[in-house]
Amino acid sequence: MDIVMCVALKECFFLRKNILFIRKNINPTHIWIITNKRNFKYLPKENDITLIDEDKLIDGLTFQKVKSIIDNHLHVKNYGWYFQQFLKLGFALSSYAKEEYLVWDSDTVPFNKLNFKKGESDLFLPKTEHNAPYFETIDKLFEAPIKANYSFISEHMIFRCSILKEMLNKIEGKHMNKKPWYELCITSVKPYTKNGFSEYETYGTYCINYHPQLLCPRTLRTFRRCSKLYSIFASSKEIRTLAEDLDTGSFEVYDYPVGGFRKYKQIIYNYFCKIVTKKRMIMN
């Protein structure tokens, strides 16, 4: 199936290396990379990859629009954090979408070959996180009496376009005030909540309430702190050494190695990306 990735500036460098592992171990039909158009120059341009301007994915959904809604409603200004979630959901409404797509974190490496289906069901990776505000928001968006005793939030999720469209239509239909679904997701969050919406938790909860046979839990050997071992500057050889013990691993830019030259190189890289990102926001 197609893979969709939302990519920030800080993730561009590592993604160029990760693409090789994604191709080998997931074997996607096509890779869609949604990002700020100013990041295009840092990303690979190949036949199986399409770069999409994040502000042009679907009509009305732009960074500035999301920023404006957040400024009017929320006290915690996690602009990019909310925006990338809406892009993952919004892809289903775009002209690029087929019947389904796999959203994959760009800093997560598939070390071994993975499948994502079990019969007619989509495999997902249950986690232990539980953030109560996510469910408070969900209860405002649609009726969801059933709540899972695990979390749907992991480094990937398959979205079925027909079901996602159904969910977004239900959100807009419940409120009946002609606001777009992404605005309703923001305004349903309590104003002083730090993180009040999760695209994966929302979709997973919708599925277990309205399409209970769709999702099937799986077990994978995962590790989110791979940057502490090798940094984001890990060589392909170093990355491959992790395949014996892990199925996936994340190389997050703010997880610094314990010491050495790579630690300070990664700190400088992260600082540079933050400065550039802030400057872009001001220029917009």
Side-chain angles (χ1 to χ4, degrees), residues 228-284:
K228 285 192 170 294
L229 300 176
Y230 293 125
S231 87
I232 63 168
F233 303 105
S235 68
S236 295
K237 181 179 180 180
E238 289 171 328
I239 292 172
R240 283 193 291 270
T241 63
L242 299 172
E244 185 176 342
D245 300 311
L246 297 170
D247 295 308
T248 72
S250 299
F251 288 75
E252 298 177 336
V253 71
Y254 49 78
D255 268 339
Y256 303 122
V258 175
F261 173 72
R262 286 186 181 183
K263 174 182 179 179
Y264 298 102
K265 186 178 178 182
Q266 186 167 315
I267 289 172
I268 293 170
Y269 175 83
N270 190 24
Y271 179 75
F272 169 79
C273 291
K274 286 181 178 180
I275 294 298
V276 172
T277 301
K278 287 181 180 179
K279 186 176 293 185
R280 286 177 177 178
M281 195 180 302
I282 293 170
M283 290 174 63
N284 284 339

